[in-house]
Amino acid sequence: AISGFQLDEVYVGTPEERAAGMKPDHQSNRNMHLGTNVLTGEAGARKIPREYLEIQNALSSRPESYSVRRERILSNIKTIRAEAEAAQTESERKVFETSLKMEMRAMDVLNQEEEASSSDIEADADEDVTVQK
């Protein structure tokens, strides 16, 4: 044995020993769940575990609401302004000013998107609906 390492046959057995079942798996390896990075149930289970559904919902690509996006942008603006006031050099201050402009632009885009969305909803509501009698 070199450096305390032994040949694979010591751990898993020779091919002949494995074929004859003379070197059984360790008990700790029998209940391993292999697969993708998602939670799964036991093999053959017909029900999706609740934890998986909760994680799937949390990671889904649902778009954020306008109010959640606005809240996030306003929080960023507040943080950037505080950092700009604490800036020690002119170059740091300019970086924060640029970041602030980008967040303000993001807020403008958000407002335009929301306005366009509400205009579309109003246009749909204004269409004449004919009812046949």
Side-chain angles (χ1 to χ4, degrees):
I2 301 172
S3 301
F5 297 105
Q6 299 180 14
L7 296 173
D8 288 345
E9 285 78 11
V10 173
Y11 301 105
V12 297
T14 63
E16 295 80 20
E17 288 174 330
R18 290 194 306 269
M22 295 171 57
K23 201 75 161 166
D25 289 340
H26 292 284
Q27 194 65 322
S28 63
N29 294 337
R30 293 210 180 261
N31 293 324
M32 289 180 62
H33 298 282
L34 301 176
T36 62
N37 63 344
V38 295
L39 299 174
T40 61
E42 295 294 327
R46 296 179 185 265
K47 197 170 157 187
I48 298 174
R50 166 176 255 126
E51 303 90 54
Y52 172 75
L53 294 174
E54 290 170 358
I55 290 171
Q56 185 179 15
N57 287 337
L59 296 175
S60 69
S61 59
R62 287 187 301 238
E64 291 178 313
S65 68
Y66 293 114
S67 58
V68 169
R69 289 169 59 191
R70 185 171 285 107
E71 227 174 87
R72 183 173 35 82
I73 293 170
L74 289 173
S75 174
N76 290 347
I77 289 171
K78 182 178 177 181
T79 301
I80 292 169
R81 282 186 175 155
E83 292 292 334
E85 288 177 16
Q88 295 180 355
T89 65
E90 183 64 23
S91 62
E92 284 180 353
R93 190 181 59 72
K94 286 183 179 181
V95 167
F96 289 120
E97 286 176 2
T98 301
S99 297
L100 186 59
K101 288 177 185 176
M102 292 171 69
E103 290 296 329
M104 298 297 281
R105 177 66 186 136
M107 183 66 82
D108 289 341
V109 169
L110 174 65
N111 289 337
Q112 290 170 3
E113 287 176 11
E114 186 175 25
E115 187 177 317
S117 174
S118 62
S119 296
D120 291 344
I121 292 171
E122 289 172 6
D124 289 345
D126 289 342
E127 289 181 8
D128 291 334
V129 178
T130 56
V131 179
Q132 295 179 350
K133 295 181 182 178

